Amino acid sequence: MIKHYFIAAGAAIMTLSAALASAQNASADQQLVQRGEYLAKAGDCVACHTAKGGKPFAGGLSIDTPIGRVYSSNITPDKDNGIGNYSEEDFDRALRHGIRKDGASLYPAMPYPSYAKVKPADVKALYAYFMNGVKAEPTPNHGVDIVWPLSMRWPLSIWRKVFAPAVAVDGVADNSPLLRGQYLVEGLGHCGACHTPRGIGMQEKALSDDSTQFLSGGVIDGYLANNLRGDARDGLGNWTEADIVAFLKTGRNSHSAAFGGMAEVVAESTQHMTDEDLSAMAKYLKSLKPVKDGTPALAYDDKTHQALRKGSDQSPGAMAFLNNCAACHRSSGKGYDETFPTLALSPTVNAENPASLIRIVLQGAEMPWTHKAPTQFAMPGFASRLSDQEVADVVTFIRSSWGNQASAVSASDVAKVRKQVPEKKTVEAGVVPLAKQ
């Protein structure tokens, strides 16, 4: 009897140990999935891999490129249309090397030159999330709208060899906020994909701070993705680390508000990141030297404010500003903090390329909705109200007032931007209703 008792007790202990081990493994697996979910948000994967009105990560979003239109792929674990048959190695090859499971090269609209810097441990977490934390969707993939012979993929293998960097390995830990910020900005955040100018091969001219071209500003979707370096006039030179964190967390601060694609980045990605990671990113961005070292900062000039108040400036630009802009941005050009952005000394206003400012005037803009700043303000578009010359007048007025020192804008400049603005996508003025949020 005693022998049978000990045998039974031993079996029970083994069963309990196995159950505990299984529970620990399940907990570890769940932690890995949760870690992957966080990293997927940091990488803003949902933004490109979700079509308007489509299922999350089911692909189908159209992306315009210089050679035609491509469509994002289904990256849900669906076995027929998604990545359900991808091994972790297959997933890694697509994410960091730009190579599909069938061996074909991906178009670099997928920012694998940036994702090359993602470490294998984080790739593992991302794989766990997409295989176990994302719902499989049977949405078929859409073929590219690129004419032959440009649609051939084999030249992309040459592009990869010339422009894509070697992938990262596990090893050196991000043991300082600066290194962690660099890892997030250059890697998963793929900030350079929009904020770095492109070369003749449509490659980013720099993938790291080895060159001041990195994050010096780039044109994307008809907007200028701003200079993120230390330039005082059109960069982040006058922003503090706290300003950058506030912008990434809420989509607004005392200097600016997110618009265009950046509003989506804040809404879908950066607002969900930890304060520690956002602070690390801010620290790294503030470490970047200006493109034009030694250029003095702009200083506020009250002359325009006083002239508008007295009515002594009757120029077309001044009158257009008073009739269309002053109610929100004020005659001082200072707007209202975190509500209507300042125009005075704004990096967007003072950018060498006026594309963003022109497009905002024509199309309007919406601030992103965020948990920390749930009120979503909108600016109307004036495309149907103002002619090309009138838009040029008001934009030129804004770029030369209150201490701003940017070049004039012509009617032909406005006409070029207007061609890219969908007629029915102008934004209505005011506060976006809570039902929409």
Side-chain angles (χ1 to χ4, degrees):
M1 293 291 293
I2 295 176
K3 180 179 178 181
H4 290 306
Y5 171 79
F6 279 113
I7 291 175
I13 291 172
M14 290 177 65
T15 301
L16 178 60
S17 297
L20 288 173
S22 178
Q24 289 174 346
N25 289 336
S27 176
D29 290 345
Q30 186 57 35
Q31 288 178 1
L32 190 65
V33 170
Q34 291 175 350
R35 174 66 178 164
E37 181 179 14
Y38 177 81
L39 294 171
K41 288 180 178 177
D44 200 15
C45 305
V46 73
C48 287
H49 287 277
T50 305
K52 301 299 182 184
K55 300 293 185 180
F57 302 113
L61 182 72
S62 64
I63 302 170
D64 290 324
T65 76
I67 62 172
R69 181 171 293 174
V70 300
Y71 297 84
S72 62
S73 58
N74 183 333
I75 57 171
T76 74
D78 182 76
K79 291 185 179 295
D80 295 323
N81 299 290
I83 59 172
N85 292 319
Y86 274 50
S87 67
E88 186 176 328
E89 182 181 0
D90 294 331
F91 180 81
D92 188 6
R93 278 165 59 82
L95 180 71
R96 301 197 300 161
H97 299 260
I99 304 173
R100 297 190 316 199
K101 183 178 174 65
D102 64 3
S105 295
L106 294 171
Y107 289 97
M110 162 69 172
Y112 57 83
S114 296
Y115 291 161
K117 298 188 178 183
V118 178
K119 294 179 180 178
D122 285 342
V123 174
K124 185 178 186 69
L126 284 164
Y127 180 74
Y129 170 62
F130 281 106
M131 290 301 174
N132 302 286
V134 173
K135 182 181 177 182
E137 295 290 349
T139 306
N141 286 301
H142 196 299
V144 299
D145 290 334
I146 301 175
V147 298
W148 189 88
L150 296 176
S151 59
M152 293 190 299
R153 287 183 180 262
W154 69 263
L156 293 173
S157 62
I158 301 174
W159 191 98
R160 286 190 295 102
K161 291 177 181 178
V162 174
F163 298 121
V167 299
V169 297
D170 285 325
V172 179
D174 306 321
N175 54 5
S176 74
L178 186 64
L179 287 176
R180 176 64 177 171
Q182 180 180 10
Y183 177 66
L184 290 168
V185 169
E186 294 183 0
L188 269 177
H190 61 285
C191 304
C194 293
H195 291 272
T196 297
R198 301 269 175 169
I200 192 170
M202 293 311 299
Q203 82 285 6
E204 295 165 50
K205 288 187 175 181
L207 293 169
S208 68
D209 194 29
D210 293 339
S211 166
T212 55
Q213 292 189 97
F214 180 60
L215 300 182
S216 63
V219 177
I220 181 78
D221 294 334
Y223 291 96
L224 174 70
N226 281 0
N227 176 1
L228 300 183
R229 302 187 67 86
D231 297 83
R233 296 193 177 193
D234 64 350
L236 301 182
N238 292 326
W239 292 32
T240 65
E241 290 181 19
D243 290 332
I244 297 173
V245 171
F247 184 84
L248 295 175
K249 198 75 174 178
T250 68
R252 64 201 74 179
N253 60 21
S254 60
H255 300 279
S256 188
F259 56 85
M262 191 63 206
E264 294 183 11
V265 171
V266 172
E268 302 289 352
S269 177
T270 56
Q271 73 155 322
H272 302 290
M273 297 177 69
T274 64
D275 290 343
E276 291 76 13
D277 276 350
L278 293 180
S279 294
M281 292 172 70
K283 186 174 290 294
Y284 174 64
L285 290 174
K286 286 298 294 181
S287 74
L288 302 179
K289 295 179 180 180
V291 178
K292 299 178 180 178
D293 204 3
T295 302
L298 299 172
Y300 184 79
D301 188 334
D302 197 48
K303 291 179 182 177
T304 300
H305 179 206
Q306 295 304 323
L308 292 175
R309 290 187 63 186
K310 296 174 182 178
S312 58
D313 188 342
Q314 298 290 317
S315 66
M319 298 308 297
F321 178 83
L322 286 173
N323 291 332
N324 299 285
C325 316
C328 295
H329 296 285
R330 303 166 63 191
S331 58
S332 65
K334 294 182 178 181
Y336 296 89
D337 282 356
E338 301 184 10
T339 303
F340 301 120
T342 180
L343 300 177
L345 315 184
S346 162
T348 300
V349 171
N350 284 283
E352 184 176 341
N353 185 336
S356 287
L357 189 58
I358 295 172
R359 185 154 184 148
I360 291 171
V361 172
L362 290 172
Q363 186 173 343
E366 283 183 21
M367 287 185 182
W369 179 92
T370 63
H371 295 292
K372 293 292 185 180
T375 304
Q376 189 179 17
F377 296 99
M379 172 182 160
F382 295 90
S384 62
R385 179 172 176 175
L386 300 179
S387 68
D388 291 345
Q389 186 58 59
E390 288 170 328
V391 173
D393 289 339
V394 73
V395 170
T396 297
F397 173 79
I398 291 169
R399 283 164 61 86
S400 59
S401 299
W402 310 293
N404 296 330
Q405 296 181 18
S407 59
V409 171
S410 68
S412 61
D413 294 329
V414 177
K416 292 176 184 177
V417 176
R418 190 187 289 271
K419 291 179 180 179
Q420 304 172 357
V421 177
E423 291 184 7
K424 295 182 179 180
K425 283 196 173 182
T426 54
V427 178
E428 298 298 328
V431 180
V432 177
L434 288 174
K436 181 177 179 181
Q437 299 174 15

